[in-house]
Amino acid sequence: MLELIVISTLNGVLFGMLLFLMASGLTVIFSMLGVLNFAHASFYMLGAFFGFQVSRWFGFWPALLIAPLLAGAIGAGVERYGLRRVHKNGHVAELLFTFGLAFAIEEIVQIIWGKSPVDFRVPSLLDFPAFTIFSTNYPAYKMFMLLVSIVIFVGLLIVLKKTRIGLIVQAALTHPHMVGHLGHNVGRIFMLVFGVGTALAAVAGVIAGPALVTQSNMAGLLGPILFVVVVVGGLGSLPGAFVASLLIGLVQTFAVSMNGSLSGAFGPLSAAYASTWLADIWGVTIAQIAPIVPYVLLVLILIFRPMGLLGTRDT
């Protein structure tokens, strides 16, 4: 039991920090531009495939730098020549634009790399067990993923809260005309913010690609839960996204590892109910319902605290 708790905690924190790497970019984009980007997980996928391709040419470490820059440049171009043009038609047009963009990116990835998983491997420098807990070897690469996530979280907080750049970016959202009168190019600021947000998603893709499966449907697998993180934490709240990521990562990881059920806790149903639908529910394990746990949490948050855990906006 102790081994299960320790390993599940480590895996939960790691999964939560991976979610935060993705959610941080989406949160930055929403808090600065007011755009809920449905294609954000697609840039995570682009980062993984760019990382795979560049690593075949130059190695993993150059790919860790080049792939996010490429994805960020594409994201900046999307804002400049796409979102900026549909912005005048309102948020519905923006949502539909990013929704269509997600499908377009997935189709392009399938055309170039195919539908089968690609062989994106852990770099040899980190391909060893960092330590052993009980009888389980914990990979050094997973600790590297955790370290990168923590560094990015701290760096984002410092940039947004303590630097002149962060103040200008935040002011550009609420008072764009005033920022423009002070001599700053507001359009360029928005473009750079969108590019940085998509680059953060690409970083998550590059470091998660070797540990998870790099394939053309990976955006669809993590995309929905990404919006759960952003809403539960609070739209536009970076600390909220951090807390929600860890919470969902731990809850889902522990749920997957539990085989308890109502029948195990209270015993089998009586013969009168053995052939009814209640018997099916009675035998369902916690691990079987683990995938829906984050969405149940989302529904509860929207009912009882619509602004999220640490958010200040009701919408």
Side-chain angles (χ1 to χ4, degrees), residues 36-196:
L36 198 56
N37 181 17
F38 274 99
H40 194 72
S42 299
F43 287 96
Y44 156 76
M45 178 176 65
L46 274 182
F49 278 96
F50 284 167
F52 160 72
Q53 194 64 51
V54 175
S55 66
R56 293 184 64 184
W57 296 335
F58 308 110
F60 176 81
W61 302 108
L64 185 58
L65 176 64
I66 296 173
L69 291 178
L70 290 175
I74 294 174
V78 165
E79 194 284 329
R80 174 63 181 84
Y81 300 104
L83 273 175
R84 193 174 300 182
R85 294 178 182 273
V86 302
H87 177 71
K88 59 184 178 182
N89 298 318
H91 291 305
V92 173
E94 292 174 340
L95 291 176
L96 291 175
F97 174 82
T98 58
F99 188 72
L101 179 64
F103 284 98
I105 292 176
E106 182 175 344
E107 291 298 323
I108 292 172
V109 167
Q110 290 180 0
I111 291 172
I112 297 175
W113 287 283
K115 295 184 179 181
S116 301
V118 296
D119 188 21
F120 193 6
R121 299 185 179 183
V122 172
S124 57
L125 185 63
L126 295 174
D127 192 12
F128 64 91
F131 50 83
T132 300
I133 298 180
F134 300 101
S135 59
T136 302
N137 293 327
Y138 207 77
Y141 187 75
K142 288 189 174 182
M143 299 306 298
F144 167 74
M145 294 171 63
L146 182 62
L147 178 63
V148 171
S149 303
I150 294 174
V151 169
I152 289 179
F153 171 63
V154 175
L156 278 175
L157 280 183
I158 292 175
V159 170
L160 292 177
K161 303 296 184 182
K162 302 295 183 181
T163 67
R164 186 169 178 267
I165 295 175
L167 293 176
I168 293 173
V169 169
Q170 293 183 79
L173 174 64
T174 55
H175 301 86
H177 297 294
M178 182 64 70
V179 173
H181 289 317
L182 292 174
H184 302 288
N185 189 324
V186 176
R188 185 177 299 171
I189 292 173
F190 285 173
M191 182 180 68
L192 291 176
V193 167
F194 199 93
V196 169

